[in-house]
């Protein structure tokens, strides 16, 4: 290929992700390897069911329809335009094409060899994440304008990693309101605004005597057309409403409705009986409704959560997050990525729960608005490992207040904790059997009390104290003043430094669980009770690894790393001699997390107990391999903390 053509190909590719993420040298390498294909109208690039080619494609010119063939006929799933990347699912999934590509207009296509991308995928994490995310979301086409989903995710936490590249996967369900707030054109602006405020909606449709839409007034209109220019609110709404109204009928389908909103930059779309202005209003579709309808990508789920304080909506969205989780697990997406996404979703739910409860309480407790506090997640959620809605472990830490405010602060924060836990339970999370929750007054305390708790556990490490340590030492400040949590952490490390023998007790506790395999190298199963003959993956395999990782990190005085596989990653750096073992332990823990979550989703349980006989040969071997680092780590701990001598 001549240099001129290579340069043109490179210039085109550079305009679109994932090629826009490449350095010049890599981009030139790809451009040189591109195969240019010209297809005429009516031709087919690949057929549904064909074995995946060693290429994926980007459309340079023309239009291609991706079509699913069934007994009911052909159904168009996607329309590919300039810059769209397709054929990726079949490539990354190593499975046949799900759709047929039909050339609707003469096309010029760049075929990108996967071989050229293998090294890039290994070395360029942004490119790898782009493909993995698109694959995880079930997309058949990757586009440059993933706009709304990307912005929702990016605006939420730009520093958390570029997970915004997940796109919409299921657009079959349309949520819209059939109860539309309406008024006549002569209604005063003030009265229309009051109606909106009373109904807690952001728009009102202005209708004539036949219920035909004449215009629409939104919150934005009130700001820009009434308040900003200083127009009297005694004027009629027809003077400031948006008119004429763009209308559609609800039967038009998601794609048409959403495209209408995009093309006309609408935040609200009025739906009528026949789709015209000369027809009664039948509903209204808001951009919030759109996000709730756009499937199971993190961007959409997080945006939906951040824009609702309705607990019923939050429950629905968290249910959908579980569907997304199942897809991720079955397609073996990186556990670090999966865990971070699920943690963020859970954190947003906690944040919204806090806002719901604060709105109710602060009217009666105005002084408490000035008191610093933070909501702590502990246990698996504190470690950013809670994939399923298993036991809640949480607490509230608040600043010490003057004597005159102590009773009020205690009452307020107890009510706050009870309210947040109530919302979390309504969202489908399980309560903690040991009542280690912010609804329990024992775990809603000022900083001085929390310091005393930890000092007592460290100075007098009884079996009960060590049990609490295994939960409470993994706390993480989700919302509120993180400085309070940091002050508590500093206190804990000072106490441990002054009583190093505490780590020996902690080490002894970390070895209390027997190895997961028995003498005959088979699973150690429960001997009695409702889980008889089942394997407890939490207690027998996961807990030993979390306990060992926590102990070793504490011994190195490492602050701020709670996640188990990140702890092993850090230990690998700190102890090069044991680097390989720690690396294996981290990978083993990821395998165990995946297996437990899959078990839970498939059996609609917490996934803790697994029936060994139900596992295939490969699964059994994979699980046994995950056990191998446990005994080696236990031996290291036994020697390092002189436990044989300590037990005498």
């Amino acid at each position: 290929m001549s240099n001129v053509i290579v340069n043109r190909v490179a210039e085109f590719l550079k305009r679109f992700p994932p090629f826009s993420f490449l350095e010049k040298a890599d981009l030139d390498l790809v451009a040189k390897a591109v195969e240019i294909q010209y297809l005429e109208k009516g031709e087919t690039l690949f057929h549904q069911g064909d074995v995946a080619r060693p290429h994926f494609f980007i459309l340079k010119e023309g239009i291609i329809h991706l079509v699913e063939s069934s007994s009911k006929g052909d159904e168009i799933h996607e329309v590919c335009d300039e810059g769209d990347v397709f054929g990726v699912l079949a490539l990354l999934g190593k499975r046949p094409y799900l759709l047929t590509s039909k050339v609707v207009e003469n096309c010029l296509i760049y075929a990108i060899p996967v071989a050229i991308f293998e090294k890039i995928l290994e070395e360029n994490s942004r490119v790898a994440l782009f493909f993995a995310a698109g694959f995880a979301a079930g997309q058949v086409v990757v586009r440059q304008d993933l706009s709304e989903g990307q912005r929702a995710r990016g605006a939420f936490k730009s520093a958390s990693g570029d997970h915004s590249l997940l796109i919409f996967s299921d657009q079959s369900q349309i949520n819209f309101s059939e109860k539309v707030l309406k008024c006549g054109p002569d209604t005063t602006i003030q009265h229309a605004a009051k109606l909106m405020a009373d109904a807690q909606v952001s728009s009102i449709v202005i209708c004539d005597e036949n219920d035909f839409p004449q215009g629409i007034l939104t919150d934005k209109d009130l700001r820009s057309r009434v308040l900003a220019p200083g127009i009297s609110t005694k004027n009629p709404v027809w003077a400031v409403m948006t008119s004429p109204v763009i209308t559609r009928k609800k039967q038009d389908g998601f794609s048409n409705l959403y495209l209408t909103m995009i093309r006309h930059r609408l935040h609200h779309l009025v739906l009528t009986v026949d789709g015209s202005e000369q027809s009664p209003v039948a509903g209204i579709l808001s951009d919030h409704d759109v996000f709730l309808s756009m499937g199971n990508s993190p961007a959409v789920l997080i945006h939906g959560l951040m824009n609702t304080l309705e607990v019923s909506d939050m429950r629905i969205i968290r249910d959908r997050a579980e569907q997304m989780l199942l897809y991720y697990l079955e397609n073996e997406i990186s556990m670090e990525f999966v865990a971070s996404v699920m943690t963020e979703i859970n954190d947003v739910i906690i944040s919204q729960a806090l806002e719901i409860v604060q709105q109710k309480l602060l009217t009666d407790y105005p002084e408490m608005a000035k008191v610093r506090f933070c909501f702590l997640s502990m246990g698996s959620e504190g470690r950013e490992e809670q994939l399923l809605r298993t036991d809640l472990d949480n607490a509230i830490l608040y600043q010490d207040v003057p004597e005159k405010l102590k009773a009020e602060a205690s009452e307020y924060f107890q009510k706050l904790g009870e309210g947040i836990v109530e919302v979390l339970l309504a969202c489908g999370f399980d309560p903690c059997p040991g009542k280690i929750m912010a609804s329990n007054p024992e775990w809603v305390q000022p900083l001085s009390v929390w310091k005393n708790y930890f000092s007592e556990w460290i100075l007098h490490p009884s079996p009960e104290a060590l049990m609490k340590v295994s939960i409470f030492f993994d706390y993480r400040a989700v919302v509120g003043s993180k400085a309070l949590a940091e002050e508590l952490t500093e206190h804990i490390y000072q106490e441990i430094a002054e009583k190093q023998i505490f780590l020996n007790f902690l080490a002894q506790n970390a070895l209390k669980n027997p190895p997961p395999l028995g003498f005959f190298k088979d699973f150690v199963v429960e001997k009695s009770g409702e889980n008889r003959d089942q394997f407890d993956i939490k207690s027998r395999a996961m807990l030993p690894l979390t306990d060992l990782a926590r102990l070793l990190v504490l011994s190195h005085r490492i602050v701020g790393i709670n996640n188990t596989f990140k702890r092993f990653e850090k230990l690998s750096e700190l102890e090069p001699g044991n680097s390989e073992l720690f690396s294996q332990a981290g990978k083993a823990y990821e395998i165990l997390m995946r297996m437990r979550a899959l078990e839970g989703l498939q059996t609609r349980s917490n996934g803790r107990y697994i029936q060994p006989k139900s596992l295939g040969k490969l699964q059994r071997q994979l699980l046994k391999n995950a056990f191998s680092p446990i005994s080696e780590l236990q031996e290291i701990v036994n020697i390092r903390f002189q436990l044989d001598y300590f037990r005498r």
Side-chain angles (χ1 to χ4, degrees), residues 487-560:
E487 188 175 340
L488 179 59
T489 299
E490 183 58 34
H491 170 78
I492 291 166
Y493 279 101
Q494 284 178 359
E495 292 285 70
I496 292 174
E498 292 173 11
K499 193 179 182 185
Q500 283 289 314
I501 198 170
F502 167 73
L503 293 178
N504 297 78
F505 283 99
L506 202 59
Q508 200 172 20
N509 189 65
L511 301 191
K512 71 180 183 209
N513 288 302
L517 296 178
F519 181 78
F520 295 104
K521 301 298 180 186
D522 211 348
F523 296 98
V524 175
V525 297
E526 302 304 296
K527 301 298 183 186
S528 59
E530 61 178 311
N531 299 302
R532 183 178 177 179
D533 296 329
Q534 292 182 319
F535 177 71
D536 184 347
I537 193 172
K538 177 183 175 181
S539 294
R540 303 280 185 186
M542 297 180 75
L543 200 57
L545 286 171
T546 58
D547 286 347
L548 290 162
R550 182 190 307 109
L551 167 69
L552 292 168
V553 161
L554 280 172
S555 71
H556 283 284
R557 291 183 58 85
I558 300 300
V559 180

Side-chain angles (χ1 to χ4, degrees), residues 412-545:
Y412 168 75
F413 285 112
Q414 283 179 28
K415 288 183 178 180
L416 186 67
E418 288 168 3
I420 293 172
V421 169
E422 189 178 317
V423 172
L424 295 176
L425 294 176
C427 287
F429 289 88
D430 291 337
C432 172
K435 296 186 172 18
I436 299 177
M437 297 181 290
S439 54
N440 184 343
E442 187 177 3
W443 310 123
V444 180
Q445 297 291 347
L447 179 61
S448 58
V449 174
W450 277 108
K451 285 181 176 180
N452 288 337
Y453 280 166
F454 279 97
S455 294
E456 178 64 22
W457 296 335
I458 292 166
L459 292 172
H460 302 99
S462 65
E464 184 185 355
L466 290 169
M467 183 274 291
K468 288 189 170 77
V469 162
S470 68
I471 298 171
F472 285 90
F473 266 47
D474 291 340
Y475 66 77
R476 180 173 59 87
V478 177
V479 286
S481 172
K482 294 189 178 180
L484 278 172
E486 289 167 3
E487 188 175 340
L488 179 59
T489 299
E490 183 58 34
H491 170 78
I492 291 166
Y493 279 101
Q494 284 178 359
E495 292 285 70
I496 292 174
E498 292 173 11
K499 193 179 182 185
Q500 283 289 314
I501 198 170
F502 167 73
L503 293 178
N504 297 78
F505 283 99
L506 202 59
Q508 200 172 20
N509 189 65
L511 301 191
K512 71 180 183 209
N513 288 302
L517 296 178
F519 181 78
F520 295 104
K521 301 298 180 186
D522 211 348
F523 296 98
V524 175
V525 297
E526 302 304 296
K527 301 298 183 186
S528 59
E530 61 178 311
N531 299 302
R532 183 178 177 179
D533 296 329
Q534 292 182 319
F535 177 71
D536 184 347
I537 193 172
K538 177 183 175 181
S539 294
R540 303 280 185 186
M542 297 180 75
L543 200 57
L545 286 171

Side-chain angles (χ1 to χ4, degrees), residues 374-421:
C374 63
F375 185 91
L376 302 174
S377 280
M378 300 178 298
S380 59
E381 176 63 10
R383 294 191 302 271
E384 302 181 57
E385 296 166 7
Q386 190 174 30
L387 304 183
L388 304 175
R389 283 171 282 188
T390 48
D391 303 355
L392 288 172
D393 293 309
N394 48 51
I396 287 178
L397 160 66
Y398 60 92
Q399 72 178 89
D400 289 287
V401 297
E403 190 67 34
K404 63 179 182 179
L405 287 178
K406 281 186 177 179
E408 184 182 351
S410 176
E411 185 177 286
Y412 168 75
F413 285 112
Q414 283 179 28
K415 288 183 178 180
L416 186 67
E418 288 168 3
I420 293 172
V421 169

Side-chain angles (χ1 to χ4, degrees), residues 560-573:
I561 304 178
N562 281 11
N563 182 271
T564 300
F565 39 84
K566 287 181 181 175
R567 280 172 168 169
F568 281 123
E569 194 175 76
K570 185 64 178 178
L571 288 166
S572 184
E573 292 176 22

